[in-house]
Amino acid sequence: MKKLLLLTAAPLLLAAQASEPNATPQTPSDVIAASTAEDWRPVAPNNLLIMTLGSGDEVFIELAAIFAPVHVTNIRNLARAGWYDGISINRVQDNYVVQWGDASERKPLPETVDRSSPAEYDFAMTESHIAGFEDVQEGNYEPFSGYLEGWPVAHAPREDGQRSGTLIHCYGMVGVGRGNNPDTGTGAELYTVIGHAPRHLDRNIALVGRIVEGIGALSSLPRGTGPLGFYEEAEQRVPIATIQLASELPKEEQPSFEVMRTDSDAFRAFVHARANRTGWFIRPAGAVDVCNVNLPIRRAAAD
Amino acid sequence: MKKLLLLTAAPLLLAAQASEPNATPQTPSDVIAASTAEDWRPVAPNNLLIMTLGSGDEVFIELAAIFAPVHVTNIRNLARAGWYDGISINRVQDNYVVQWGDASERKPLPETVDRSSPAEYDFAMTESHIAGFEDVQEGNYEPFSGYLEGWPVAHAPREDGQRSGTLIHCYGMVGVGRGNNPDTGTGAELYTVIGHAPRHLDRNIALVGRIVEGIGALSSLPRGTGPLGFYEEAEQRVPIATIQLASELPKEEQPSFEVMRTDSDAFRAFVHARANRTGWFIRPAGAVDVCNVNLPIRRAAAD
């Protein structure tokens, strides 16, 4: 018999639900299956980057425009200018990050790029933010870690009595490389997380998005053998053919994704199901790390 | 200027320490540099597996004999019998696990393998365990998560008044695939974690070790496109040439590793330094997840 780590007991559970039509869905898959169109929000085309590697593999990135507006504007302008086309992946550090940019460090930036971006490492939580925040995990790194408008967010009190929010470095989140202060990065150099959440980076660097599909093309790249996982030889670098903004493509060519709304009962049921696994599991954990929720993201159905 | 995520300020800090000879080391690297031979324990040769892939890449695994003795005995016997030689990696699921075993599911097990291993998913914490436990993180998944005898361990009260300990599914930990109860797995089918710690597996399956070197050869494999990340075609499977126990090799050919002792002041200083990063960091986290400690493991110096 094949030893699986996860054996789902879906038929059994569906049968149980059939006899109790109002029962809470039991598995994460059940929750997704039971969700309605209102439980999902679209990824806006001007927040969707399509990175095409030299191999033809595609990676799709949703930009967090609401939390890092200046950096996201820069990234859109870099994509529109074709600036990213022909750059490369230069660093793959195991259990940490994949990083890409201009290896020559000489490619001139377009005029449209703000070279003195503010440090968008955190933001003031508004009343509306606090109302929309879905708490998942308390007391590790930050008092509260959960989801806000479909993004992993932590928040803590500030000295001025307001609350300070920050995006969280979960697996697949995308950020902007930076040097020392006061250089906060332009968006020309980007990275994504390919390991256990390095939350010591939270509040220290600008997160600007997350990979919504195709991360395997990055996380499976050969690890760099130089310091910090940089490739040591130019020919080891992985060419990037293009990075395009979906909104710049003809409408019929725009890929279309949906994210589960995190202020929905569906999301609450999903988190509960992730924390209380059934079937193969003997002892449900009863809790789930904010970065182990695995927020549902899917291709939108064709119109 | 190259944008690094991590710019260490080592020279500056070393200068600062020079003027304060008794100051606590400031960076994780400083702590390792300041450690003494007594701060490390060797990896015993009969707890060290050497997995050689068909490509020639080597992966080194330390077995946690103290926490899963029956499964570890099975694994040693399978290695001694050459049973693993010629099996393959059959599953690579992004942000989750790499799994290897006999894809044919027909290879007979040697007589020396216990086919009814107990469920070594947790263990009773002894007085000595409690004394040797180094707490790192409280309140997420388990009341206490830290390190015990060089291993990531969580513990919680049991109904009988004792405490129940369990190994933690951090990145690089190795476990034994199993089917449904009461099959607990023999050790013939193994997996390792290549993503954010799936702690919902803790207490549900037997962890038996961790990768001490070479995980990049597994984490960089192409992701499987079948359900649960299984490879869909036989030719996609990655051949394993051999898995050998170091103690079966001639002494001069035995690789030699050391793990930082987790009941040492050096380890406490290391955890503190990981939680309070300096240099490039603007706002130290002040905390560290048990799976983001990155316990120091190194090749032992030659005799």
Side-chain angles (χ1 to χ4, degrees):
Chain A
M1 182 181 60
K2 186 168 284 191
K3 300 293 191 302
L4 300 181
L5 291 183
L6 290 175
L7 291 174
T8 58
L12 189 69
L13 288 163
L14 289 173
Q17 281 182 256
S19 62
E20 294 179 69
N22 296 319
T24 306
Q26 301 281 315
T27 73
S29 301
D30 290 343
V31 174
I32 293 173
S35 68
T36 64
E38 289 69 42
D39 295 324
W40 301 78
R41 69 156 173 80
V43 172
N46 71 340
N47 281 334
L48 183 62
L49 285 180
I50 306 156
M51 171 159 66
T52 307
L53 304 185
S55 61
D57 286 331
E58 290 181 318
V59 181
F60 301 88
I61 299 168
E62 181 183 17
L63 297 170
I66 49 173
F67 296 119
V70 178
H71 282 93
V72 166
T73 298
N74 272 358
I75 291 167
R76 288 178 182 141
N77 286 336
L78 287 159
R80 285 192 187 105
W83 187 89
Y84 293 116
D85 304 354
I87 64 167
S88 56
I89 296 165
N90 306 313
R91 176 188 186 190
V92 182
Q93 186 171 356
D94 195 67
N95 190 17
Y96 200 43
V97 295
V98 171
Q99 190 171 334
W100 57 97
D102 165 35
S104 79
E105 301 177 33
R106 291 182 184 184
K107 191 168 180 173
L109 293 175
E111 288 296 322
T112 48
V113 168
D114 185 338
R115 284 145 174 86
S116 55
S117 310
E120 294 175 319
Y121 309 157
D122 56 2
F123 56 93
M125 295 278 286
T126 63
E127 290 294 319
S128 150
H129 284 153
I130 290 166
F133 182 81
E134 189 64 29
D135 188 29
V136 172
Q137 167 193 322
E138 296 182 12
N140 192 28
Y141 287 104
E142 302 261 353
F144 300 96
S145 297
Y147 282 79
L148 175 58
E149 305 204 19
W151 295 93
V153 162
H155 66 90
R158 282 197 318 205
E159 288 176 8
D160 64 2
Q162 301 290 303
R163 298 197 74 82
S164 163
T166 182
L167 287 167
I168 297 175
H169 275 83
C170 292
Y171 193 98
M173 290 292 284
V174 173
V176 170
R178 69 163 175 88
N180 282 324
N181 270 339
D183 172 7
T184 64
T186 58
E189 183 94 16
L190 298 171
Y191 66 92
T192 191
V193 173
I194 59 158
H196 192 80
R199 292 192 61 179
H200 49 294
L201 296 176
D202 296 353
R203 299 189 185 277
N204 281 281
I205 194 163
L207 284 169
V208 292
R210 73 170 146 232
I211 295 177
V212 295
E213 189 181 291
I215 192 170
L218 302 181
S219 55
S220 67
L221 290 172
R223 276 46 185 159
T225 51
L228 304 175
F230 277 91
Y231 288 129
E232 294 182 277
E233 309 294 337
E235 58 268 26
Q236 295 173 317
R237 295 178 192 139
V238 178
I240 293 173
T242 62
I243 300 184
Q244 296 175 289
L245 202 54
S247 53
E248 301 287 303
L249 299 177
K251 188 127 187 139
E252 64 277 14
E253 292 176 23
Q254 294 176 6
S256 184
F257 292 91
E258 294 178 329
V259 176
M260 184 176 273
R261 289 187 192 275
T262 52
D263 57 352
S264 67
D265 286 340
F267 180 69
R268 283 170 210 120
F270 186 82
V271 171
H272 184 268
R274 287 284 300 170
N276 299 280
R277 304 291 293 273
T278 54
W280 179 92
F281 291 85
I282 301 162
R283 298 174 182 123
V288 62
D289 186 278
V290 65
C291 291
N292 201 17
V293 164
N294 294 3
L295 176 68
I297 299 177
R298 65 184 185 189
R299 289 266 181 175
D303 290 334
Chain B
M1 184 180 60
K2 186 168 285 191
K3 299 292 192 301
L4 301 180
L5 291 183
L6 289 176
L7 291 173
T8 58
L12 189 68
L13 288 163
L14 289 174
Q17 281 182 255
S19 62
E20 294 179 69
N22 296 319
T24 304
Q26 301 282 313
T27 73
S29 302
D30 290 344
V31 174
I32 293 173
S35 68
T36 64
E38 289 69 43
D39 296 325
W40 301 78
R41 70 155 173 81
V43 172
N46 71 341
N47 280 335
L48 184 62
L49 285 181
I50 305 156
M51 172 159 66
T52 306
L53 304 185
S55 62
D57 286 330
E58 290 180 318
V59 181
F60 301 88
I61 299 169
E62 181 183 18
L63 297 171
I66 49 173
F67 296 119
V70 178
H71 283 92
V72 166
T73 298
N74 272 358
I75 290 167
R76 289 178 183 142
N77 286 335
L78 287 159
R80 285 193 188 104
W83 187 88
Y84 293 116
D85 304 353
I87 64 167
S88 57
I89 296 165
N90 307 314
R91 177 188 186 191
V92 182
Q93 185 171 356
D94 194 67
N95 191 17
Y96 200 43
V97 294
V98 171
Q99 189 171 335
W100 56 97
D102 165 36
S104 79
E105 300 177 35
R106 292 183 184 183
K107 191 168 180 172
L109 294 175
E111 289 296 322
T112 48
V113 168
D114 184 339
R115 283 145 174 87
S116 55
S117 310
E120 295 175 317
Y121 308 157
D122 56 2
F123 57 92
M125 295 278 285
T126 62
E127 290 294 320
S128 149
H129 284 152
I130 290 168
F133 181 82
E134 189 63 30
D135 188 30
V136 172
Q137 166 193 322
E138 295 181 14
N140 192 27
Y141 285 104
E142 301 261 355
F144 300 97
S145 298
Y147 282 79
L148 176 58
E149 305 203 18
W151 295 94
V153 162
H155 66 91
R158 282 198 318 206
E159 287 175 7
D160 63 4
Q162 302 289 304
R163 298 197 75 81
S164 162
T166 182
L167 287 168
I168 298 174
H169 275 83
C170 292
Y171 194 97
M173 289 292 285
V174 172
V176 171
R178 69 164 175 87
N180 282 325
N181 272 337
D183 172 7
T184 64
T186 58
E189 184 95 15
L190 298 170
Y191 65 92
T192 191
V193 173
I194 59 157
H196 191 79
R199 293 193 59 178
H200 48 294
L201 296 176
D202 297 351
R203 299 188 185 278
N204 281 281
I205 193 163
L207 283 170
V208 291
R210 72 169 147 233
I211 294 176
V212 294
E213 188 180 292
I215 192 170
L218 303 180
S219 55
S220 67
L221 291 172
R223 276 46 186 158
T225 51
L228 304 175
F230 278 91
Y231 289 129
E232 295 182 277
E233 309 295 336
E235 58 269 25
Q236 295 173 317
R237 295 179 193 140
V238 178
I240 293 173
T242 62
I243 300 184
Q244 296 174 288
L245 203 53
S247 53
E248 301 288 303
L249 299 177
K251 189 126 186 139
E252 64 277 13
E253 291 176 23
Q254 294 176 5
S256 184
F257 292 92
E258 294 178 329
V259 176
M260 185 175 272
R261 289 187 191 276
T262 53
D263 57 353
S264 67
D265 285 341
F267 181 69
R268 283 170 209 120
F270 186 82
V271 171
H272 184 268
R274 287 284 300 170
N276 298 280
R277 303 292 293 274
T278 54
W280 179 92
F281 290 85
I282 301 162
R283 298 176 181 121
V288 62
D289 186 278
V290 66
C291 290
N292 201 17
V293 165
N294 293 4
L295 177 67
I297 299 177
R298 66 184 185 188
R299 289 267 183 174
D303 291 333

